[in-house]
Structures are given as structure tokens and as C-alpha cells.
């Protein structure tokens, strides 16, 4: 990785453990303001996860892990039943991204296994160490996803992405955007089209902000411009992240991803998903049983404080959709590029 790129990368840290505190970038304030917030109360951190101050599947996994550590620090005495209740409370903050339940359940199981040890040992050597490992592993997985995915990117390619699967969404350099950053850092001349991603605009607010900061040529489009952009701008591939991937490759990701996959088929454009293996949920045989989070109607009725629809109107507010495996050409993980029909996830 080039030094200038590495230096810039180090300046964006959406989540940090800082001596008993969790420090996050409040992503709801971007791109206007870069605000850091510090948490010692696990309930407040859960609230930040619900409000999408910290968001993106891997980042909420890390945040959930640290939230459990904060809860242990707030607890007067060791109480396994209470820890289980808190773990469930954290997991239910956002139901679709499997990374959250994966990270929190991992730590809970280790706490249970070590429940005869001292509370101090459980807090520091079990929970905190595991949370930090989850965070560090994510940084490494992001790098490897970038390297593996870069093999699919040609010099001169125009790439369309949706939502934000970048530095802001992970512990490291992103998933879908890690592929883009790795191609950029290896001197491929690439251009990115970022869907704005209604309703909460993670594409225009976050993806455009971080790609622009890192120096990648980026164009923002409204979601309803995707088909025309594919038709007229020679899009070479589409890369998105994932919140949960079933054993057959069906992939839950930000609402709008499914539609893009249908357009990609129409225009014969390769459609790629990039995600760490912590996003695979191999217990699920297909995407049919993935729980889709529904959000408050105000996210549709308002943009910021501006009301853009009658306040009493009915709304339908799914935050994610499921793209069927057959619409996905490849799923890029830290291990390898898995091609449809995705028979090699467990290798
Ligand atoms: O609601 P969000 O902003 O948490 O949704 C994020 C996404 O859908 C991302 O594409 C996904 O979590 C992958 S992030 C590497």
C-alpha cells in the first residue's frame, strides 16, 4: 500500500476502543461535520447503533462487541443471566446484519466458558481481548477482500456501488470499497458511480465523502438514475457489500441492491458482492428466512428536517432487500472469490 494512501486511511476511524471508552464518528452528521462521540454507557451505544451513528455490518459487529464490554464494566458483580439479557438487547438493535449477533454471541459463549474465573479476568482477558481481536481481524479481512477483489477489476473500469461498504462501515478499509481502494492504490484508472441510496443517503453522504477524501474519481447519482447510467456510461461492474449471506449465496444488503442486480442482468454487467466470512450465515439454506429490518416512517417522510411527503401518509420502510444468488456473479471474501453457484463457502 502506498504511504500517502495508508496515511489518509489511518485518519478515518469510525470506531475505536480508547482506554475504557468507545469512540465513534457520528455518521449521521457527515458530510457536513466530522464529529467524534465517546461512550462508556452500553445503553447509549446501543442507541447510537439504532440511530445509525455507527453502521455497516462489520462496524456494528465491532460496536456490539464493545457494547458488551462496556456493559460488563458497568456491572457491579458477575451475573451470567444478566449478561445474556444484555447480549440479546444488543443483538436486537439491528436484526439484519449477522455480524452483530456473530460478534456478541462469540463473546457471550467465551464468557460462559470462563464463568468460573475472576470477574476481572472475564472483563479484560475474555471480553475486551475478544472484542479487540474481532476488530483487528476485521481490518485484516478488509485488506484481503481488497486484494482478492482487485483481480476482477480492469484498468479503466467504471464501477457502480450502492450504500456505503467502505472505511466508515468496517474496522478497516471496507469491503466493496476495499476492492475499489486496492484497484486505485495499484494505479488502475477507475471511476466510481455512487448511488445516493435513499432513504438515509449513505451513498451520497458517506461513500462519496470517503472516496473523495481518499482521492478516487467519484460521481454521485440518484438511485433512479442507475439504469440510465448503466446504459450510457459503460459501467464495467457493480460491487456492493452485504449484511447477511445465506448458504446458497442469497444476499441481504441495503434496500435497492436487489433492483440493481436485476438491471445488471439486463445490461449484462457483472454483479459482485464483497463481504468478510463473518457475514456468511451458513445456518440459513436460503435468503427466505432473513429478517428484514423495517425503520421508522420519518426516514421516508423527511429528508433532514424537511418534510417531503404528507406526514400521515402510509409508508413501507424496509432497510434491506435480498438479492437472489442467481443474480450474483461472484462473492468476494477474505478467503477467495467465490463464483456462482457458491458451492465452496466452507473451504
Ligand atoms: O443501514 P446501514 O447503513 O447499516 O446499511 C449498510 C449496508 O447495507 C452495507 O452495504 C452493508 O452493511 C455492508 S458494510 C461493509
Amino acid at each position: 500500500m502506498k504511504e500517502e494512501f495508508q496515511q489518509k486511511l489511518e485518519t478515518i476511524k469510525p470506531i475505536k476502543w480508547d482506554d475504557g471508552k468507545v469512540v465513534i464518528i457520528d455518521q449521521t452528521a457527515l458530510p457536513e461535520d466530522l464529529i467524534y462521540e465517546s461512550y462508556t454507557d452500553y445503553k447509549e451505544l446501543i442507541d447510537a447503533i439504532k440511530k445509525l451513528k455507527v453502521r455497516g455490518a462489520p462496524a456494528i459487529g465491532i460496536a456490539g462487541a464493545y457494547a458488551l464490554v462496556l456493559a460488563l464494566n458497568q456491572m457491579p458483580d458477575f451475573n451470567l443471566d444478566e449478561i445474556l439479557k444484555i447480549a440479546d438487547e444488543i443483538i436486537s438493535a439491528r436484526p439484519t446484519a449477522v455480524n452483530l449477533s456473530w460478534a456478541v454471541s462469540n463473546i457471550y459463549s467465551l464468557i460462559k466458558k470462563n464463568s468460573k474465573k475472576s470477574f476481572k479476568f472475564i472483563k479484560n482477558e475474555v471480553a475486551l481481548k475478544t472484542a479487540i481481536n474481532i476488530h483487528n481481524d476485521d481490518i485484516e479481512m478488509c485488506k484481503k477482500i481488497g486484494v482478492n477483489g482487485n483481480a476482477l477489476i480492469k484498468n479503466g473500469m467504471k464501477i457502480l456501488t450502492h450504500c456505503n461498504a467502505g472505511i466508515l462501515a468496517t474496522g478497516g478499509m471496507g469491503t466493496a470499497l476495499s476492492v475499489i481502494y486496492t484497484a486505485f492504490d495499484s494505479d488502475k484508472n477507475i471511476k466510481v458511480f455512487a448511488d445516493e441510496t435513499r432513504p438515509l443517503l449513505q451513498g451520497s453522504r458517506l461513500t462519496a465523502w470517503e472516496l473523495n477524501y481518499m482521492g478516487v474519481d467519484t460521481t454521485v447519482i440518484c438511485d433512479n438514475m442507475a439504469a440510465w447510467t448503466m446504459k450510457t456510461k459503460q459501467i464495467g461492474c457493480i460491487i456492493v457489500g452485504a449484511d447477511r449471506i445465506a448458504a446458497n449465496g442469497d444476499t441481504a444488503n441495503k434496500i435497492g441492491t436487489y433492483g440493481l442486480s436485476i438491471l445488471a442482468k439486463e445490461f449484462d454487467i457483472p454483479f459482485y458482492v464483497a463481504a468478510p466470512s463473518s457475514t456468511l450465515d451458513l445456518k440459513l439454506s436460503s435468503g427466505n428466512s432473513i429478517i428484514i429490518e423495517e425503520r421508522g416512517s420519518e426516514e421516508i417522510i423527511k429528508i433532514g428536517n424537511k418534510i417531503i411527503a404528507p406526514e400521515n401518509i402510509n409508508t413501507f420502510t424496509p432497510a434491506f432487500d435480498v438479492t437472489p444468488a442467481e443474480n450474483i456473479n461472484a462473492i468476494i471474501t477474505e478467503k477467495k472469490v467465490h463464483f456462482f453457484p457458491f458451492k465452496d463457502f466452507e473451504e
Side-chain angles (χ1 to χ4, degrees):
M1 202 180 287
K2 295 204 188 72
E3 210 179 308
E4 191 197 341
F5 182 85
Q6 178 74 44
Q7 276 171 3
K8 273 193 178 172
L9 184 63
E10 288 306 314
T11 61
I12 312 179
K13 293 278 168 225
I15 182 155
K16 270 191 294 205
W17 177 259
D18 179 15
D19 194 19
K21 299 186 292 289
V22 178
V23 180
I24 62 163
I25 293 177
D26 173 3
Q27 297 190 34
T28 62
L30 285 171
E32 236 175 337
D33 298 304
L34 181 58
I35 298 170
Y36 291 88
E37 287 185 343
S38 185
Y39 292 85
T40 49
D41 180 347
Y42 85 92
K43 280 193 182 287
E44 288 178 12
L45 187 53
I46 292 180
D47 196 49
I49 295 172
K50 286 184 180 160
K51 289 185 172 142
L52 271 59
K53 289 183 169 199
V54 55
R55 34 79 37 220
I60 58 178
I62 297 163
Y66 287 141
L68 194 53
V69 175
L70 291 183
L72 294 184
N73 288 347
Q74 290 174 265
M75 200 174 267
D77 303 297
F78 181 73
N79 180 338
L80 193 60
D81 293 338
E82 182 65 15
I83 296 169
L84 179 61
K85 242 172 62 197
I86 293 171
D88 287 340
E89 197 183 335
I90 299 169
I91 289 170
S92 60
R94 295 210 65 199
T96 303
V98 70
N99 310 58
L100 181 58
S101 57
W102 171 83
V104 173
S105 309
N106 256 351
I107 298 184
Y108 174 75
S109 313
L110 289 171
I111 292 173
K112 196 170 166 194
K113 209 167 130 194
N114 286 280
S115 56
K116 295 279 171 292
K117 304 253 171 71
S118 77
F119 193 22
K120 189 170 167 207
F121 181 88
I122 291 172
K123 280 194 266 197
N124 299 328
E125 301 303 316
V126 178
L128 179 58
K129 255 199 189 144
T130 311
I132 290 174
N133 285 344
I134 288 172
H135 195 165
N136 288 338
D137 286 352
D138 189 60
I139 297 173
E140 286 312 307
M141 288 195 281
C142 285
K143 274 193 204 147
K144 289 181 183 159
I145 288 169
V147 171
N148 290 342
N150 188 22
L152 301 168
I153 308 300
K154 299 191 181 77
N155 191 24
M157 218 175 205
K158 293 179 183 166
I159 304 165
L160 193 142
T161 189
H162 190 66
C163 192
N164 173 266
I167 302 168
L168 289 167
T170 61
M173 57 196 279
T175 58
L177 296 195
S178 177
V179 175
I180 287 169
Y181 288 132
T182 309
F184 171 76
D185 191 49
S186 59
D187 292 326
K188 288 183 186 165
N189 177 19
I190 52 166
K191 287 187 193 310
V192 177
F193 287 81
D195 271 357
E196 65 174 352
T197 318
R198 273 283 287 152
L200 295 179
L201 306 172
Q202 289 91 330
S204 57
R205 292 190 305 104
L206 308 177
T207 293
W209 179 80
E210 63 163 87
L211 287 174
N212 198 38
Y213 175 75
M214 297 301 289
V216 179
D217 183 326
T218 306
T219 302
V220 173
I221 58 167
C222 299
D223 297 332
N224 54 2
M225 297 169 187
W228 194 246
T229 304
M230 288 184 207
K231 187 172 169 73
T232 60
K233 294 290 179 190
Q234 296 85 42
I235 299 296
C237 72
I238 295 161
I239 312 182
V240 297
D243 284 83
R244 196 182 287 251
I245 302 172
N248 68 344
D250 288 353
T251 295
N253 191 49
K254 180 53 56 193
I255 190 75
T257 305
Y258 178 29
L260 283 182
S261 77
I262 295 170
L263 293 174
K265 269 198 158 171
E266 168 74 14
F267 293 107
D268 205 16
I269 296 172
F271 189 92
Y272 303 132
V273 170
S277 46
S278 52
T279 304
L280 295 173
D281 188 353
L282 301 179
K283 301 187 300 300
L284 303 183
S285 57
S286 81
N288 292 341
S289 44
I290 297 177
I291 295 168
I292 299 296
E293 177 185 2
E294 290 199 24
R295 309 235 353 134
S297 59
E298 70 285 352
E299 292 184 0
I300 294 190
I301 287 170
K302 288 182 180 173
I303 296 188
N305 288 327
K306 173 88 185 147
I307 293 169
I308 55 157
E311 281 183 278
N312 61 349
I313 204 76
N314 296 328
T315 55
F316 176 46
T317 55
F320 302 95
D321 55 28
V322 178
T323 299
E326 60 270 23
N327 289 9
I328 302 170
N329 296 76
I331 296 179
I332 306 154
T333 69
E334 76 283 4
K335 293 185 189 152
K336 62 190 282 200
V337 178
H338 304 263
F339 289 96
F340 181 77
F342 311 119
K343 296 289 181 213
D344 54 355
F345 282 149
E346 296 203 67
E347 278 169 21

